[in-house]
Amino acid sequence: MTQTPLAAAPAPAPAAPVTAPVTTRARTALRALAIVACLPYIVLKAAWVSGSHLGIPDGSSLLDHRTTMIVANSGSVLMDGAVVVIALLLTQAWGRRVPAWLLVLPMWVATGLLLPIMAGYPLQLLVQALGGEITSSAESTRPFLDQWVFAVVYTGFIIQGLALGTLFALYAKDRWGHLWRGALRDLPASPTAPALRACAVAASLTALIPGTMHLLWATGSTAGLNPALIAESNSGSHVVDAVDVLFAAAVAGVLLLAFRRNSALPLRVPLALAWGGSGAVGCWGGWMGLAALSSVDDLAHRPTPAAVLTYAVQMLVGTLVLALGTYFLAERAAGTRPPSGLRA
């Protein structure tokens, strides 16, 4: 039997480099900053659960359903408490032994919930400074929360996002950084490429549904909005919807992974776009969907079919892109590179 020379097969992803100790002075400071930034939110929520009306004006809708408020605020306290656990995990030696999914999944959720606030709230303040209105007419007749509450809580969220995001980026670079070295053109051929392309196209086309709806709302359309949201529509809400459009577009980062061609674009760019876009779209879709379902008994706040569809599709898109990214990195980590040109 004769054997023709093997075609040059792409090398598998390089082994993970030896890294410096996880906990450094800078990381310790970032950990402390992330934890301290959680305290105002946790204290406020705990006060509300215990019956305090701190920051809640008389007549607020938050006072209408005591049991619902207790359950919702208790859940959000646990979510912010998870930030403390993640901050510790990212800066301790034992955190390197945690299974990847046990860290990545809650970090994806945290990224998805914090990114829109980090982008949207400063833009709302800018719009307000330029003369725009971010307080709805509905709030003037029945206020929801004192304005200082939003300033304190959202500032805390932004600090959390910056500190926790930096810690995670450093941790991910130490543990998995070898998986996204190089450019798109350096990626080897893969037998799963056709499936990745088909799923990436499906996810991106599906993302057009929520993207289109948020674009309509950002430009002032009231299509698909209930009476309460129409009354609350203003410059501030338009900014939020515009940010949602940008995150829906970021989901298309998965297309760059699927149709890599000969691009010199660093691999970390489409991965970051897909990570942030899928988290913001999927997690906020889930959050808004839960909020909508809790309002079914209130005719003015009852979600419209268009809104329910938008939030459901957002969750679908976010989950699909997360699954695609997970499979892509798992395949790369395993070094699955089938040799080509082999002949007996």
Side-chain angles (χ1 to χ4, degrees):
M1 296 177 67
T2 59
Q3 187 176 22
T4 59
L6 295 177
V18 177
T19 59
V22 174
T23 303
T24 63
R25 184 173 299 178
R27 299 187 194 199
T28 301
L30 286 170
R31 178 182 65 199
L33 186 61
I35 293 174
V36 170
C38 295
L39 295 181
Y41 186 78
I42 292 176
V43 169
L44 267 175
K45 294 288 187 173
W48 294 344
V49 169
S50 64
S52 172
H53 292 178
L54 178 65
I56 304 177
D58 293 335
S60 171
S61 59
L62 287 174
L63 304 176
D64 292 345
H65 305 284
R66 173 71 179 155
T67 301
T68 301
M69 188 180 78
I70 291 176
V71 173
N73 286 320
S74 298
S76 54
V77 166
L78 291 176
M79 290 175 63
D80 218 38
V83 172
V84 176
V85 177
I86 294 174
L88 292 172
L89 186 153
L90 293 174
T91 53
Q92 299 292 332
W94 55 266
R96 296 294 297 275
R97 300 189 294 272
V98 171
W101 69 268
L102 194 57
L103 168 63
V104 171
L105 187 57
M107 195 63 214
W108 179 74
V109 173
T111 302
L113 293 177
L114 290 174
L115 267 181
I117 295 174
M118 295 170 65
Y121 185 60
L123 287 176
Q124 283 186 319
L125 294 180
L126 177 60
V127 167
Q128 186 180 40
L130 295 176
E133 182 63 48
I134 66 172
T135 302
S136 68
S137 56
E139 276 193 279
S140 62
T141 58
R142 194 182 186 193
F144 183 68
L145 285 171
D146 292 338
Q147 286 303 308
W148 67 262
V149 175
F150 293 104
V152 169
V153 169
Y154 286 169
T155 299
F157 282 162
I158 292 172
I159 295 173
Q160 284 179 45
L162 292 173
L164 199 65
T166 302
L167 286 174
F168 181 68
L170 294 172
Y171 177 101
K173 180 181 178 182
D174 290 344
R175 186 170 176 179
W176 304 300
H178 58 290
L179 298 179
W180 51 76
R181 287 178 182 166
L184 286 172
R185 64 187 176 195
D186 300 325
L187 290 173
S190 168
T192 62
L196 176 61
R197 294 190 187 108
C199 291
V201 170
S204 299
L205 290 177
T206 307
L208 290 175
I209 297 174
T212 300
M213 293 305 299
H214 286 294
L215 180 60
L216 289 172
W217 297 336
T219 53
S221 172
T222 59
L225 296 179
N226 58 36
L229 289 177
I230 292 175
E232 295 168 3
S233 180
N234 57 25
S235 300
S237 64
H238 296 164
V239 167
V240 172
D241 284 310
V243 169
D244 288 337
V245 173
L246 293 178
F247 284 119
V251 167
V254 74
L255 287 175
L256 296 173
L257 293 176
F259 299 91
R260 55 200 67 164
R261 301 300 179 184
N262 293 318
S263 174
L265 188 69
L267 179 57
R268 62 180 178 270
V269 173
L271 284 173
L273 288 173
W275 170 270
S278 65
V281 168
C283 296
W284 265 102
W287 185 262
M288 295 301 294
L290 286 175
L293 290 176
S294 67
S295 304
V296 293
D297 295 331
D298 186 337
L299 185 60
H301 290 82
R302 184 176 298 171
T304 64
V308 172
L309 176 64
T310 298
Y311 303 143
V313 172
Q314 285 186 214
M315 289 188 286
L316 175 64
V317 170
T319 304
L320 178 57
V321 174
L322 176 66
L324 290 175
T326 300
Y327 188 85
F328 171 83
L329 291 174
E331 181 185 35
R332 187 159 167 78
T336 305
R337 305 293 182 263
S340 59
L342 185 59
R343 296 290 186 272

